[in-house]
Amino acid sequence: MADWGPVVIGVVLFILLQPGLLFQIPGNGRSLEVGVMKTNGKAIAVHTLIFFSLYAILILAVHVHICTG
């Protein structure tokens, strides 16, 4: 049996947390910008920390598993 939970969670979070796609913290002109499609180094660092935190919580604490058999 394969556990697809970590893979699916990682892909979904990666897509949703791309800086500038849905939102960007911190933005270029404001602290939060929505749908700007531009990014900066600070936003990449913040979104990386958010991704890692959510991924660790969902995989280690909540134990999300999608098993195929």
Side-chain angles (χ1 to χ4, degrees):
M1 289 193 332
D3 184 14
W4 285 92
V7 175
V8 171
I9 296 296
V11 168
V12 169
L13 286 177
F14 181 79
I15 291 170
L16 292 178
L17 290 175
Q18 291 180 14
L21 183 63
L22 297 178
F23 64 95
Q24 179 174 319
I25 302 172
N28 291 324
R30 301 181 208 160
S31 61
L32 173 68
E33 292 183 346
V34 179
V36 292
M37 300 301 274
K38 294 181 182 175
T39 190
N40 57 34
K42 292 180 204 174
I44 293 171
V46 169
H47 282 257
T48 301
L49 292 173
I50 294 171
F51 173 86
F52 177 74
S53 301
L54 287 175
Y55 186 80
I57 289 169
L58 290 172
I59 299 304
L60 298 175
V62 181
H63 298 288
V64 176
H65 296 287
I66 301 172
C67 296
T68 59

